[in-house]
Amino acid sequence: MTMRKTQRIAVITGASSGIGEALARAMAARGTHVVLAARSTERLDEVAQAIRRAGGVATVVPCDLSRPDAAQRLYDDVTRLGLEVDTLVNNAGFGYHGPFESEALEHLSGQLQVNMVALAELTRLFVPSLLLHRGTVLNIASTIAFQPAPFMSVYGATKAFVLSFSEALWAEYHDRGLHVAALCPGPVETPFIDAAGPEVRGTAVFKHTLSIDQVVRECLEAMASARPTRVVGWRNRLLSQVWPSFPARAHRPHRSSNDVRFPMLIGYRRSAVKPPFFPAV
């Protein structure tokens, strides 16, 4: 039996930490029943308990979105709970920094599965409910979607997909009452920056970081807005406008013995940055 809808219900992936956790807390504080999805049951339980102590409503649905059947399993679990979802936040994602040939094939495939396939499948599965309730899809993309990303080629390509996918769905559905938006933050101030190595903060990409609180505020505004894309931070907004207007020849990398960089945003030095795995921003 379907539960009578008395409040907004949002499914949030990647809700065990970072942006996903902070956004879940913020939405719950505003009266939304948040459905928390991520791999770590223990962390999800901790987040849910904190939300409940603050007077909010939270449901935990553990899932590993790197599995090919994960999106269908998550949808089925939510449906069995009788929850009529009107908001979907596709936040889960992860990345890799380093030479393309050094990334393990299993890790590369996992990036594609989590960052693109699961996101598209979850959106497809929940669209009927979202249309019925004139709801919202928020997809977390990145400013890396606006330009090539050497040493983060797969991650950058997946975020370009998220941006294009979101803008296309916005055009399909905005006249039918379903709002689809992509949020594009730059690097966010989280522990993975320092974990990546002491030199990482000196690179062009990580020189200016965003706070999680700032990103959460922008998420809430993106969901309330009618626009399909929201870029976080004035520098990022400027560069996202400038980069596509550059001629094709300006998109080609400038090469030297130990440096591959694009003239706008990237600026990674191969000699200075180790290639760790880290959660995506």
Side-chain angles (χ1 to χ4, degrees):
M1 180 179 295
T2 300
M3 182 182 300
R4 182 180 297 276
K5 190 167 179 61
T6 58
Q7 64 182 150
R8 299 190 69 85
I9 300 174
V11 172
I12 305 173
T13 66
S16 60
S17 63
I19 297 170
E21 176 187 353
L23 181 58
R25 289 173 181 261
M27 293 179 69
R30 289 162 173 77
T32 298
H33 176 169
V34 292
V35 180
L36 311 176
R39 289 182 299 176
S40 173
T41 303
E42 182 178 357
R43 275 294 301 142
L44 289 177
D45 285 339
E46 291 173 358
V47 175
Q49 289 169 12
I51 288 172
R52 292 166 190 150
R53 285 196 298 270
V57 181
T59 298
V60 170
V61 183
C63 67
D64 181 358
L65 291 178
S66 67
R67 295 180 52 174
D69 61 347
Q72 185 68 59
R73 284 173 175 265
L74 175 56
Y75 174 78
D76 291 344
D77 287 345
V78 172
T79 301
R80 276 193 291 270
L81 291 170
L83 301 175
E84 297 183 21
V85 174
D86 55 51
T87 304
L88 173 64
V89 179
N90 285 307
N91 167 71
F94 66 94
Y96 168 84
H97 176 272
F100 175 70
E101 74 273 13
S102 297
E103 183 175 11
L105 186 60
E106 181 180 4
H107 191 272
L108 186 155
S109 298
Q111 274 197 87
L112 300 176
Q113 178 67 35
V114 174
N115 297 5
M116 295 194 303
V117 177
L119 179 147
E121 290 181 349
L122 284 172
T123 305
R124 170 59 187 86
L125 288 165
F126 281 106
V127 153
S129 177
L130 298 171
L131 280 170
L132 178 64
H133 298 292
R134 301 182 69 83
T136 300
V137 178
L138 178 66
N139 293 325
I140 306 301
S142 170
T143 53
I144 207 170
F146 294 100
Q147 71 279 312
F151 302 106
M152 294 185 74
S153 56
V154 175
Y155 176 67
T158 65
K159 292 304 182 179
F161 167 84
V162 173
L163 178 60
S164 178
F165 177 70
S166 302
E167 291 182 339
L169 291 190
W170 177 88
E172 284 191 42
Y173 289 116
H174 77 281
D175 285 340
R176 298 172 61 186
L178 172 58
H179 176 50
V180 182
L183 188 85
C184 299
V188 183
E189 187 59 46
T190 57
F192 84 79
I193 298 177
D194 292 320
E199 303 91 350
V200 171
R201 286 188 181 275
T203 62
V205 171
F206 293 101
K207 186 176 181 181
H208 302 286
T209 59
L210 302 164
S211 71
I212 289 181
D213 288 344
Q214 180 181 0
V215 174
V216 167
R217 287 195 299 272
E218 296 280 357
C219 285
L220 297 172
E221 291 181 12
M223 288 188 284
S225 169
R227 301 181 64 178
T229 307
R230 192 174 191 90
V231 180
V232 184
W234 70 265
R235 291 184 182 87
N236 296 326
R237 286 193 292 272
L238 174 63
L239 292 173
S240 70
Q241 295 296 316
V242 171
W243 178 259
S245 67
F246 267 56
R249 64 180 178 273
H251 293 190
R252 302 187 185 115
H254 301 293
R255 300 182 183 275
S256 64
S257 60
N258 68 347
D259 191 9
V260 178
R261 66 180 183 274
F262 283 76
M264 296 300 295
L265 270 178
I266 302 302
Y268 286 116
R269 293 192 64 83
R270 192 185 313 208
S271 61
V273 182
K274 298 177 182 179
F277 297 95
F278 57 83
V281 295

